[in-house]
Amino acid sequence: MRIVVKLGSSSLTDRHGTIDGSAIAKTAGEVARARSVGHEVILVSSGAVAAGLPVLGISAEHRPKDARTLQAVSAVGQIRLMQTWGEHLGAHDLVGGQVLLAPLDFMVRSQYLHARSTLERLLELGVVPVVNENDAIADDEIRYGDNDRIAALVAQLVGAELLVLLTDAPGLMDADPRFSAEASLIEEIVEVDHDLESLAGGAGSARGSGGMASKLAAAKMASWSGVRAVIAAADRVGVLDDAIAGRSGVGTIVLPRARKLSARKLWIAFALPSHGQVAIDEGAVRAVVSGGRSLLAAGVTSVDGTFDAEDAVEVVGPDGTVVAKGLVRVDTPTLKAMAGRRSSDASDGTVVHADDLVVLPA
């Protein structure tokens, strides 16, 4: 089995932001056991910013907000983070290899394929890739750097069968355990819907930028990739063994969808940022969602945002619900001029071709 294992900052550091060597040692040991029975493992490790804070005399409670300082802190912390991973993997005769990825590596198709090739070669060489977002050069995208999304994209990128999201919670609960003594673990999810997303809540701790909401979103992405996902506690004994075996109670298991998207459509749906929204009428919703057809200008009612041809846009129905995402064929001014027109009035009238359009779940 090919497995992607992600650990967040709160699972790798103590409350002061110092790297917790015992936490990394535990995970390294579990990775070694998985490797010993033939599994391939890719680690996605947060913690660079959190690890850099104490070195620079900054407390986690006073974590900087500006991107330039966060980038500088991550550069200091990253070297310490990788040194610790290298030591603990090496204790099991495993070789770790650092892979730093930025959002651009998933947005630009050629870089996306190059990243996949590099990870594949590392696995062929028996290396345990340790992936982190390249925070030091990620510009304002650092704010999405909780690594949960990166982990889901990496799982899709390398064709993994399992994504394990390790955190400081046992999984998704049916109520907030801080306020409800009766909160219980949701052990299995067939389809991530809006009700489940509302249960996930907001962001995580001061030492990390993630939270249960981002983990559930990542699990949803994995599900669409045909990848089983597990959200579980990093400090659970044998958590990786249990996740691989699919044991009940390991955490929250999100099952893969029966029909997965092609690699290209997954790239459109999850790797590319949206540059705007195109609102369509009910007839166009039926054609796109139920009929699998291209989006035509005749069905467009309004356009919001600034985009160029080949940018990704969200497609919304009359009630504002996002029904699809795709690569638009024209820029904003052109589409505004085309909106509502029949094909005889404006070229062939195609706004987003069916091959470049991904229908999203309700």
Side-chain angles (χ1 to χ4, degrees), residues 241-254:
D241 296 333
D242 291 344
I244 292 170
R247 294 190 179 97
S248 177
V250 61
T252 299
I253 298 173
V254 181

Side-chain angles (χ1 to χ4, degrees), residues 137-154:
I137 63 168
D139 198 26
D140 61 352
E141 294 291 346
I142 195 170
R143 285 189 292 271
Y144 109 175
D146 52 53
N147 269 331
D148 293 315
R149 185 180 180 187
I150 293 283
L153 288 168
V154 167

Side-chain angles (χ1 to χ4, degrees), residues 35-314:
R35 282 285 305 268
S36 70
V37 295
H39 300 303
E40 294 178 320
V41 182
I42 296 174
L43 286 165
V44 178
S45 176
S46 300
V49 171
L53 291 174
V55 178
L56 296 174
I58 305 171
S59 68
E61 292 75 16
H62 296 93
R63 179 183 171 118
K65 303 294 185 184
D66 65 292
R68 288 182 68 234
T69 304
L70 285 171
Q71 289 167 328
V73 172
S74 73
V76 172
Q78 182 65 26
I79 190 169
R80 288 158 176 79
L81 179 67
M82 290 306 303
Q83 181 181 16
T84 306
W85 274 117
E87 289 174 357
H88 289 292
L89 288 171
H92 301 278
D93 296 323
L94 295 177
V95 176
Q98 176 179 264
V99 179
L100 295 178
L101 297 174
L104 196 64
D105 296 316
F106 295 101
M107 292 160 53
V108 177
R109 187 67 177 172
S110 59
Q111 291 182 224
Y112 181 82
L113 296 174
H114 184 69
R116 180 167 67 188
S117 176
T118 299
L119 287 167
E120 291 281 0
R121 185 58 181 146
L122 285 168
L123 292 173
E124 289 171 1
L125 292 170
V127 173
V128 178
V130 184
V131 177
N132 196 357
E133 186 173 8
N134 197 349
D135 289 341
I137 63 168
D139 198 26
D140 61 352
E141 294 291 346
I142 195 170
R143 285 189 292 271
Y144 109 175
D146 52 53
N147 269 331
D148 293 315
R149 185 180 180 187
I150 293 283
L153 288 168
V154 167
Q156 183 273 320
L157 188 71
V158 300
E161 289 92 348
L162 175 63
L163 169 65
V164 183
L165 300 164
L166 297 178
T167 182
D168 51 6
L172 179 65
M173 311 295 285
D174 61 7
D176 191 329
R178 294 174 298 177
F179 306 111
S180 175
E182 298 180 357
S184 59
L185 177 69
I186 299 174
E187 294 192 13
E188 185 175 277
I189 297 173
V190 176
E191 185 81 50
V192 177
D193 57 22
H194 295 310
D195 290 338
L196 287 170
E197 288 170 339
S198 67
L199 282 174
S205 68
R207 287 175 282 134
S209 54
M212 191 55 66
S214 67
K215 285 160 187 62
L216 189 61
K220 180 180 180 179
M221 291 168 59
S223 173
W224 275 62
S225 308
V227 179
R228 177 168 58 95
V230 178
I231 304 170
D235 61 1
R236 177 188 170 100
V237 176
V239 63
L240 186 53
D241 296 333
D242 291 344
I244 292 170
R247 294 190 179 97
S248 177
V250 61
T252 299
I253 298 173
V254 181
L255 300 177
R257 299 178 84 238
R259 293 182 60 189
K260 67 178 182 179
L261 296 176
S262 67
R264 175 174 170 76
K265 290 203 170 184
L266 284 164
W267 176 68
I268 293 170
F270 298 121
L272 299 181
S274 176
H275 291 271
Q277 286 192 335
V278 178
I280 61 177
D281 59 29
E282 287 289 358
V285 171
R286 288 193 297 272
V288 168
V289 175
S290 302
R293 299 177 186 174
S294 299
L295 173 59
L296 304 180
V300 176
T301 58
S302 66
V303 179
D304 182 52
T306 302
F307 47 82
D308 296 318
E310 300 304 318
D311 280 344
V313 296
E314 292 177 332

